[in-house]
Amino acid sequence: MMERRRMDAALLVLFLVHLATALEVPLDLLEGLPQPPTITHQSPKDYIIDPRENIIIQCEAKGKPHPSFSWTRNGTHFDIDQDPNVTMKPHSGTLVVDISRTKAEQYECVYQCTARNKHGTAVSNNIVVRQSRSPLWSKEKIKPIVVQEGVSLVLPCRPPAGLPPPIIFWMDNNFQRLPQSRRVSQSLNGDLYFSNVLREDSRNDYICYARFPYTQTIQQKQPITVKVLNLDAINDTMAAFYNDTDLFSEDPADERKPTFLIPSGPSSSKMVLRGQVLEMECIAEGLPTPEISWTKNSGDLPVNRTSYLHYQKTLRIVNVSESDAGDYRCTARNKLGTVYHTIHIMVKAAPFWISGAPRNLVLAPGEDGVLTCRASGTPKPSVTWAMNGIPIENSPKDLSRKVEDDTIIFSVVQSGSSAVYQCNVSNDYGYLLSNAFVNVLSETPRVLTQANKVYQVIKNHRALLDCASFGSPIPRITWFKDSRSSTLDGDPYMHHDNGTLEIHVAQAHHSGKYTCVARNTLGIYENHVYLEVKDPTRILKQPDYKQVQRGRSVVFECKVTYDPSLQPTVTWLKDDGELPDDERLIVDFDSLTITDVTENDAGVYTCIMNTTLDQDSARAELTVVERPDPPTDLELTDKKKRSVQLTWTPGDEHNSPIQKFLIQYEDSLHHRGHWHNLTEVPGTKTTAHLKLSPYVHYIFRVLAVNSVGFSRPSFPSRMFKTEPAAPDENPTGVHGFGTEHDNLVISWKPLTGLQSNGPGLHYKVMWRQKLMESDWTKVTVANNSKFVVSGTPTFVPYELKVQAVNDHGAGPEPAIAHGYSGEDLPVAAPENVQAVLLNSTLSEVHWDPVPPKSIRGHLKGYKVYYWRERSLHKHNPHHVEKQILTFSGNHTHGILPGLHPFSLYSFNVRVYNGKGDGPPSPTQQFETPEGVPGPPTSLVVTNTNMDTLTLEWNPPHDRNGHITGYTLKYQPVNNSNELGPVEELALPANATSFTLLNLKYSTRYKFYLNAKTVRGAGTAISQEAVTIMDEAVTSRQVDIATQGWFIGLMCAIALLILILLIICFIQRNKGGKYPVKEKEDAHTDPEFQPMKDDDCTFGEYSDNEDHKPLKGSRTPSNGTVKRDDSDDSLVDYGEGGDGQFNEDGSFIGQYSGKSVSRETAEGHESSEAPSPINAMNSLNSFV
């Protein structure tokens, strides 16, 4: 049964928690609403005061009506009126104690404030008032401390107890902090620890200072003198005080493993409260100085809350939690050993709220509610309740109230039961006191949010529309948009407990008018707000990283898009600060320009685009680079006969890393004033080992190179002279050749002054015939790079050597080079020469090679001389133009291309060497066979009639054989540029003209004519022409256009159309259309002109590129058409034109309708006259 009651009670608590929501009465907005007192401000629980100033104990409260105040001191009523030194501020409970006539310690008590009105009583915390204290240091005489070098030392501080405790630090007589390190450091209690002392620790002004924060006073201890001596000095010093007895008789302090000075022993323990700062320290002595490290035995140290002080000797953990309890181990180690100490940490906790302090309740008569005072602590705290400052067990009984441990449950509250309840949670380490009122009210709903408020939000951001309300019972909030067709529930809308409507991701269609409705059992209230969704501000083009050379300009772009109704402002920052006030920095809306850049301009530039709703930013770095400064401090070391060490100091690299160093030298002995590159070293090196040559006076300089370029050269180094020596190398490029048939020229590349290695440079030149065991012939040559040997046989191989010699000896044994004496012209011609015809334009020539002895030189190749004697056709002239084909190398045949068919050719073959051509082989001849002919020379159209015309032509210029006949093809072309069927005729070889019969009148034709030989048909020549129109048809066209009855008919039709339009207008029939304009266009032609009877003829068409066929009806009187620069000329059907054809060969050009005159192919000029035949031409199309 008991278990069932407990379960019911728990369910009731959950139900009431769900129903009852804390509601604060907005006294500043709603006048006249009753409310019990609420403490709004009070002094801290532990209140330390400055005894030199008046004591002010704070206590502020609100309520309706405004509460009155009273105080207790040390648990009893404090009658303020009876104490002349104490006053209470008007409309407040704050006490002011005037200490000008009394002492502050008389008011060191425990105070508690009470605020009450007719609806209840609220109480403050117990405020313990204590005055701060900064007592003086006791007078004492501190003897000098004499210690042996290497031992540990502790200098005590022991400041006087103050309130609050003082801050300790050590300084000297000059108020300079004493240096601290891993060896010397201050402990948490203020003492100064030396892990081992050194001679330099001797001084007479070790002073401990204590600063008291409340009184802002600093007090100092008497200076401490420390003398650090070695063993002999200690014995001599102390013997004077102790009757010549040695104070220290053991050996001097040696190195030793660590031991802990504090804490002592292998382990210790410490207690800390939750939320406070935990500080653990381990200070060890030893020689050498030990290093300290920390670990936690049962886990890892909290990374974000852990720090180390005093050179790792202090471990500090902030905001301690229960998880920080456990064992911590500090380790001290040096090279002689390791020592450990374990600190056991216990974490206790003063009471703390789990889900916050109890919240005020505003209930309507008959409603239910609950007050919860849920807290935790270590050990577990106890909870007590009071009502209006009186323990609840002593308060009047109330059947609607039920107390269950940390919860008070209210059921069906009645008017007049308003009160203030106090919850006190305490354990051994502190307490929590909280006031929460229960206010029983009956109020209609009111919306406190400003009416017609406009909310602006950025697209895709969260939108929050407020609907702060008040009422009792608590109003229920509903939201509507625009037409109020339905409530706003579900995605994307979310309702908060305080009435706020949230749109998770606002879009443009969410803009509009929103209505908030608050209702309870007593009434209803509406409020309207507006939402505007704006486009976001976005930087489209961000500034880029810039690397710019000093003195140049740089531009950072920052292009932005934004909502038009939100004009942005641009702000530029440099290194997160304001831009320098410099006219070189030019700020535009979408860019920042920096002119004449200096090193000070380097940094990070940030572009910030701000609107009233959002912002966007982007940043980029500017690096100012420059050529590096020249290296300095050149120094030569490690000097040897042929090497030296060069070192230097790099100059400023100006933000661009040095990539390499270039080392140059000047040879002041051989090339004074000329600098030469010696070697390069990486930019990370500042030294180079230089290999040198003998007999050079070296001066070095260094240049640095970065991405910008070369630095200026460094100042030159000192001169370094190398001693002369015999040459290390011989000349290169030794060659032997002849300039005449009986000489040998020996040449070489001379050594430079740097290569000579000493004075008196000359060359020993040696030669002998190859393949002959003869002695070397030698000669000495100076100041020259060649030697001529005369009287040699023609083209004989030689072995050659050239050796360098100076005053200190000869160079190494030279390598043997090879050469030949001079060449002469070949004395023999190729034999067995013959030609093989491959086709009518290609022939292959063969020959036997010439023996090497007859060539008398280096074989370069063979040359074929050939020429066309004449064409085999009787009408062609003779040709005697010689051609030469060269075949390099040892060839025995070659091909002669591009020969003329049906021709007689002559040829011979010659061998050639470096000297020239040899004698020719006997001249031979061959005949090329027939080939296809070229196109006819001309094709013209004459005697054009209605259905006949005549074609005349001249034979091809290049017949390439015997003409066996001609092929004539022709086809009609209509006005749509479509080609008709092709007709083909075979004509005899002697024909030069042909008349075509039975052609269609007024029709264009295209003609193709080519010649034939036994090898086939040649290229065709093309031409175009138009047959003339029937004269009767043309006259009939003109008569109709000029007859009066025709003009009258047109006028009648126009009048009829006008009448129909008037009728349509009267009947208001809209949209009707009549093809009047089309009919007029069909019967009238603006280009229609009478045609003269005597000019109704049609002539020939030429393929000359200066003429073009017509498109339309207008042609010259002689039927010819002049072509302009268009691509669409009919001549494009023939050779050499630019006509366009489909894949099937159909013509896709167009014809022009211009009437112009031209000259015929024969040079005769035709007269010009218009001929209106466009209407008839449009009828002549092919089926």
Side-chain angles (χ1 to χ4, degrees):
M1 188 68 179
M2 275 303 283
E3 193 67 30
R4 177 64 181 272
R5 288 182 178 178
R6 289 180 182 174
M7 185 175 294
D8 292 344
L11 292 174
L12 178 60
V13 169
L14 291 175
F15 175 70
L16 293 177
V17 168
H18 178 71
L19 288 179
T21 302
L23 186 66
E24 193 73 31
V25 179
L27 298 178
D28 51 345
L29 298 177
L30 301 177
E31 297 291 338
L33 284 178
Q35 179 175 315
T38 300
I39 301 291
T40 58
H41 185 66
Q42 57 183 316
S43 295
K45 295 177 181 178
D46 191 6
Y47 185 27
I48 300 176
I49 62 172
D50 189 340
R52 298 168 299 183
E53 298 178 356
N54 289 340
I55 303 171
I56 299 176
I57 307 175
Q58 299 281 352
C59 182
E60 303 290 343
K62 67 178 181 178
K64 288 289 184 174
H66 191 71
S68 60
F69 297 89
S70 63
W71 286 86
T72 62
R73 184 167 65 173
N74 294 333
T76 61
H77 176 68
F78 181 29
D79 191 348
I80 297 170
D81 296 334
Q82 298 300 318
D83 191 331
N85 298 322
V86 180
T87 58
M88 185 184 295
K89 290 184 178 181
H91 310 292
S92 169
T94 299
L95 297 182
V96 179
V97 181
D98 185 1
I99 62 170
S100 61
R101 298 187 300 272
T102 184
K103 293 183 178 180
E105 55 260 26
Q106 295 181 4
Y107 292 92
E108 289 184 303
C109 302
V110 179
Y111 296 86
Q112 189 173 39
C113 171
T114 301
R116 60 171 53 87
N117 65 13
K118 64 181 181 178
H119 302 294
T121 301
V123 297
S124 70
N125 293 322
N126 287 326
I127 303 171
V128 180
V129 177
R130 295 183 296 169
Q131 68 170 342
S132 63
R133 288 177 172 81
S134 53
L136 298 177
W137 231 300
S138 61
K139 296 291 184 179
E140 60 177 335
K141 184 176 181 180
I142 303 177
K143 295 181 180 180
I145 300 174
V146 181
V147 294
Q148 180 185 2
E149 184 177 10
V151 302
S152 62
L153 176 64
V154 179
L155 299 183
C157 181
R158 301 191 186 99
L163 186 67
I167 299 172
I168 306 301
F169 50 92
W170 289 80
M171 293 197 298
D172 59 16
N173 280 331
N174 297 321
F175 297 100
Q176 300 297 316
R177 287 186 178 270
L178 294 175
Q180 297 189 24
S181 62
R182 286 194 306 111
R183 188 178 62 86
V184 182
S185 62
Q186 178 182 314
S187 66
L188 294 177
N189 66 1
D191 295 344
L192 190 63
Y193 283 79
F194 294 79
S195 294
N196 52 77
V197 293
L198 303 176
R199 294 290 296 274
E200 55 262 30
D201 294 330
S202 297
R203 60 189 309 153
N204 59 3
D205 58 350
Y206 285 96
I207 305 174
C208 180
Y209 288 86
R211 181 169 65 85
F212 297 91
Y214 269 75
T215 59
Q216 295 297 319
T217 58
I218 297 178
Q219 297 189 29
Q220 72 176 62
K221 188 176 183 175
Q222 291 296 321
I224 301 175
T225 300
V226 174
K227 294 183 179 179
V228 180
L229 303 175
N230 57 28
L231 182 60
D232 294 336
I234 292 176
N235 286 330
D236 294 342
T237 302
M238 303 309 295
F241 296 97
Y242 297 99
N243 298 320
D244 296 331
T245 301
D246 288 346
L247 182 62
F248 298 108
S249 59
E250 69 272 8
D251 293 335
D254 294 327
E255 293 184 345
R256 60 192 180 277
K257 70 176 185 178
T259 58
F260 282 110
L261 297 175
I262 55 171
S264 60
S267 62
S268 60
S269 62
K270 189 172 186 177
M271 190 273 291
V272 64
L273 292 180
R274 178 183 183 272
Q276 292 185 348
V277 177
L278 170 62
E279 289 183 328
M280 298 171 279
E281 70 175 349
C282 284
I283 301 178
E285 66 93 15
L287 190 66
T289 303
E291 293 185 357
I292 306 296
S293 60
W294 293 86
T295 58
K296 186 178 182 183
N297 292 348
S298 57
D300 297 329
L301 296 173
V303 178
N304 297 329
R305 297 185 289 116
T306 301
S307 59
Y308 300 93
L309 307 175
H310 306 139
Y311 304 95
Q312 296 283 112
K313 298 175 185 179
T314 301
L315 174 64
R316 190 171 192 262
I317 301 176
V318 299
N319 193 22
V320 170
S321 65
E322 288 80 356
S323 64
D324 296 324
D327 292 333
Y328 294 80
R329 186 168 78 167
C330 66
T331 302
R333 63 167 51 90
N334 64 13
K335 66 181 182 179
L336 299 180
T338 304
V339 63
Y340 306 96
H341 184 92
T342 301
I343 304 175
H344 179 70
I345 299 299
M346 297 171 290
V347 179
K348 303 294 183 180
F352 59 92
W353 300 115
I354 296 177
S355 56
R359 304 176 68 182
N360 298 326
L361 286 179
V362 176
L363 301 175
E367 281 192 325
D368 302 331
V370 61
L371 281 180
T372 301
C373 182
R374 194 150 296 158
S376 182
T378 306
K380 183 178 179 180
S382 59
V383 179
T384 60
W385 288 94
M387 186 182 78
N388 294 330
I390 302 172
I392 200 163
E393 57 269 18
N394 299 332
S395 300
K397 299 295 181 182
D398 187 347
L399 297 178
S400 65
R401 180 181 68 223
K402 182 179 181 180
V403 180
E404 292 191 357
D405 193 19
D406 59 0
T407 303
I408 301 179
I409 301 171
F410 299 92
S411 304
V412 193
V413 297
Q414 302 298 319
S415 299
S417 59
S418 298
V420 181
Y421 291 85
Q422 288 80 37
C423 167
N424 189 307
V425 185
S426 62
N427 66 7
D428 296 340
Y429 301 104
Y431 73 93
L432 294 173
L433 176 64
S434 178
N435 294 276
F437 64 70
V438 175
N439 198 7
V440 181
L441 295 173
S442 294
E443 289 291 330
T444 59
R446 306 183 208 184
V447 175
L448 307 180
T449 301
Q450 175 186 346
N452 299 316
K453 184 176 181 179
V454 177
Y455 292 90
Q456 293 181 331
V457 69
I458 295 298
K459 182 180 178 181
N460 294 325
H461 284 214
R462 183 177 67 164
L464 295 174
L465 307 182
D466 294 332
C467 185
S469 63
F470 179 79
S472 185
I474 296 175
R476 184 171 65 89
I477 305 298
T478 53
W479 283 90
F480 301 90
K481 183 177 185 295
D482 297 334
S483 63
R484 301 183 63 173
S485 59
S486 61
T487 59
L488 302 180
D489 293 315
D491 192 61
Y493 302 103
M494 185 176 76
H495 294 267
H496 290 267
D497 293 340
N498 63 358
T500 298
L501 177 67
E502 177 181 344
I503 304 175
H504 302 297
V505 182
Q507 300 297 325
H509 65 270
H510 292 139
S511 299
K513 175 182 177 182
Y514 288 80
T515 302
C516 158
V517 178
R519 55 166 58 85
N520 64 10
T521 57
L522 302 178
I524 186 171
Y525 193 96
E526 290 187 1
N527 190 48
H528 305 293
V529 296
Y530 296 87
L531 176 63
E532 296 177 355
V533 180
K534 307 291 186 179
D535 289 332
T537 302
R538 290 290 178 266
I539 295 177
L540 299 179
K541 182 173 179 54
Q542 299 186 358
D544 298 323
Y545 169 79
K546 301 288 185 179
Q547 180 174 301
V548 64
Q549 191 172 350
R550 182 178 58 190
R552 298 187 179 180
S553 298
V554 64
V555 178
F556 287 109
E557 290 186 303
C558 189
K559 297 187 181 300
V560 66
T561 179
Y562 54 89
D563 192 285
S565 63
L566 301 175
Q567 181 65 32
T569 58
V570 60
T571 303
W572 284 90
L573 304 178
K574 180 180 183 292
D575 297 329
D576 296 328
E578 293 184 358
L579 286 180
D581 187 10
D582 193 330
E583 62 182 7
R584 296 181 302 106
L585 277 66
I586 304 170
V587 177
D588 294 323
F589 179 75
D590 56 1
S591 66
L592 168 65
T593 303
I594 307 174
T595 61
D596 193 16
V597 171
T598 67
E599 288 88 345
N600 295 332
D601 296 326
V604 177
Y605 289 83
T606 304
C607 165
I608 304 176
M609 289 291 181
N610 280 298
T611 67
T612 55
L613 296 183
D614 68 339
Q615 73 169 33
D616 196 11
S617 64
R619 57 174 49 200
E621 184 177 0
L622 171 63
T623 301
V624 181
V625 297
E626 185 54 276
R627 302 173 187 268
D629 289 342
T632 58
D633 305 328
L634 270 65
E635 185 177 357
L636 299 175
T637 59
D638 193 19
K639 300 177 182 178
K640 297 180 180 178
K641 285 186 177 181
R642 294 202 179 190
S643 67
V644 71
Q645 190 85 6
L646 176 64
T647 59
W648 61 89
T649 301
D652 191 341
E653 62 186 19
H654 295 296
N655 297 321
S656 179
I658 295 176
Q659 300 169 350
K660 63 182 178 181
F661 291 99
L662 174 63
I663 301 173
Q664 297 179 330
Y665 72 92
E666 177 193 22
D667 182 1
S668 59
L669 178 63
H670 300 100
H671 297 93
R672 180 182 296 274
H674 292 82
W675 290 91
H676 309 276
N677 294 341
L678 181 59
T679 186
E680 294 179 351
V681 297
T684 55
K685 292 188 176 182
T686 58
T687 182
H689 185 76
L690 306 179
K691 294 183 179 180
L692 308 178
S693 297
Y695 194 52
V696 178
H697 294 179
Y698 283 101
I699 298 176
F700 301 101
R701 70 182 186 184
V702 183
L703 294 85
V705 184
N706 64 7
S707 61
V708 181
F710 284 87
S711 70
R712 290 179 288 104
S714 66
F715 287 112
S717 69
R718 294 178 180 272
M719 182 181 293
F720 181 66
K721 299 180 180 180
T722 56
E723 297 179 358
D728 294 324
E729 55 186 311
N730 290 310
T732 59
V734 178
H735 295 286
F737 58 93
T739 56
E740 299 293 339
H741 67 89
D742 58 351
N743 74 0
L744 171 66
V745 178
I746 304 173
S747 65
W748 60 90
K749 182 180 179 182
L751 299 184
T752 64
L754 187 66
Q755 296 170 320
S756 66
N757 286 6
L761 176 67
H762 57 278
Y763 302 97
K764 184 187 293 185
V765 182
M766 296 165 276
W767 70 93
R768 70 181 179 185
Q769 282 194 30
K770 192 176 181 181
L771 304 178
M772 294 182 64
E773 297 297 330
S774 59
D775 294 333
W776 291 91
T777 305
K778 303 177 182 178
V779 68
T780 298
V781 177
N783 302 321
N784 206 338
S785 61
K786 70 177 181 178
F787 179 75
V788 179
V789 181
S790 302
T792 63
T794 301
F795 197 65
V796 173
Y798 279 86
E799 292 181 335
L800 315 170
K801 292 195 297 184
V802 180
Q803 186 179 31
V805 184
N806 65 14
D807 293 348
H808 292 266
E813 179 64 23
I816 297 177
H818 299 87
Y820 281 84
S821 58
E823 298 179 89
D824 206 346
L825 293 175
V827 296
E831 296 179 352
N832 198 19
V833 177
Q834 57 183 335
V836 178
L837 289 173
L838 301 180
N839 56 40
S840 61
T841 61
L842 205 62
S843 177
E844 186 173 35
V845 179
H846 293 261
W847 61 87
D848 291 339
V850 176
K853 289 185 179 181
S854 299
I855 297 176
R856 300 203 297 176
H858 295 287
L859 173 65
K860 298 296 184 181
Y862 291 87
K863 296 181 181 179
V864 178
Y865 288 73
Y866 67 101
W867 58 96
R868 185 185 181 196
E869 295 283 359
R870 59 182 175 80
S871 172
L872 298 179
H873 195 277
K874 60 182 180 180
H875 298 290
N876 286 78
H878 289 264
H879 301 273
V880 195
E881 180 181 351
K882 288 189 177 181
Q883 294 178 278
I884 303 174
L885 273 182
T886 301
F887 301 95
S888 300
N890 193 18
H891 283 269
T892 59
H893 65 277
I895 293 178
L896 307 181
L899 302 178
H900 288 272
F902 203 55
S903 299
L904 175 64
Y905 278 89
S906 298
F907 73 99
N908 59 53
V909 183
R910 310 179 191 191
V911 66
Y912 73 99
N913 60 17
K915 192 71 172 179
D917 294 351
S921 65
T923 300
Q924 298 189 40
Q925 292 184 332
F926 62 86
E927 294 181 356
T928 56
E930 293 189 44
V932 296
T937 306
S938 64
L939 175 63
V940 295
V941 181
T942 61
N943 301 324
T944 304
N945 293 308
M946 287 178 54
D947 56 357
T948 64
L949 53 79
T950 299
L951 296 173
E952 297 180 356
W953 63 88
N954 289 320
H957 179 272
D958 294 324
R959 304 193 181 196
N960 294 339
H962 297 290
I963 300 298
T964 60
Y966 293 91
T967 299
L968 174 64
K969 297 179 182 180
Y970 63 97
Q971 60 187 142
V973 182
N974 66 9
N975 288 336
S976 299
N977 302 323
E978 295 175 349
L979 298 174
V982 178
E983 300 288 342
E984 182 174 336
L985 297 174
L987 305 178
N990 59 353
T992 58
S993 65
F994 186 76
T995 299
L996 292 173
L997 305 174
N998 301 320
L999 299 177
K1000 296 181 181 180
Y1001 65 87
S1002 187
T1003 300
R1004 294 182 185 82
Y1005 283 92
K1006 187 169 181 70
F1007 306 96
Y1008 312 90
L1009 180 69
N1010 57 354
K1012 296 185 295 182
T1013 65
V1014 293
R1015 297 303 300 272
T1019 305
I1021 185 174
S1022 65
Q1023 185 59 276
E1024 297 176 8
V1026 180
T1027 57
I1028 63 175
M1029 180 183 287
D1030 186 357
E1031 184 177 354
V1033 174
T1034 305
S1035 300
R1036 190 160 53 250
Q1037 279 187 313
V1038 175
D1039 290 341
I1040 294 174
T1042 56
Q1043 293 298 314
W1045 64 266
F1046 179 77
I1047 297 175
L1049 177 61
M1050 293 296 102
C1051 292
I1053 292 174
L1055 180 60
L1056 179 60
I1057 291 173
L1058 179 61
I1059 294 173
L1060 290 175
L1061 289 175
I1062 294 173
I1063 295 174
C1064 291
F1065 179 80
I1066 294 174
Q1067 294 181 351
R1068 300 180 181 273
N1069 291 329
K1070 298 180 180 180
K1073 292 183 180 180
Y1074 298 88
V1076 178
K1077 184 66 171 68
E1078 287 79 0
K1079 292 182 179 180
E1080 292 178 341
D1081 291 343
H1083 290 83
T1084 61
D1085 186 350
E1087 296 185 358
F1088 193 91
Q1089 298 179 5
M1091 185 175 71
K1092 297 180 181 180
D1093 293 343
D1094 56 354
D1095 281 336
C1096 190
T1097 60
F1098 292 86
E1100 64 176 306
Y1101 282 77
S1102 170
D1103 66 346
N1104 190 304
E1105 290 186 359
D1106 293 335
H1107 306 298
K1108 182 176 180 180
L1110 34 98
K1111 175 185 178 182
S1113 64
R1114 304 190 60 175
T1115 92
S1117 59
N1118 64 351
T1120 61
V1121 181
K1122 186 174 182 180
R1123 196 179 76 144
D1124 60 14
D1125 294 333
S1126 170
D1127 291 343
D1128 304 324
S1129 169
L1130 288 179
V1131 76
D1132 296 338
Y1133 286 103
E1135 296 286 325
D1138 296 328
Q1140 302 176 17
F1141 292 83
N1142 289 328
E1143 293 181 357
D1144 59 356
S1146 60
F1147 184 64
I1148 59 172
Q1150 293 183 349
Y1151 294 90
S1152 171
K1154 296 179 182 178
S1155 294
V1156 293
S1157 63
R1158 69 164 181 87
E1159 291 183 1
T1160 64
E1162 291 79 6
H1164 301 293
E1165 186 176 292
S1166 302
S1167 61
E1168 178 182 291
S1171 179
I1173 60 172
N1174 188 42
M1176 293 303 297
N1177 283 343
S1178 64
L1179 300 175
N1180 295 324
S1181 61
F1182 296 105
V1183 178

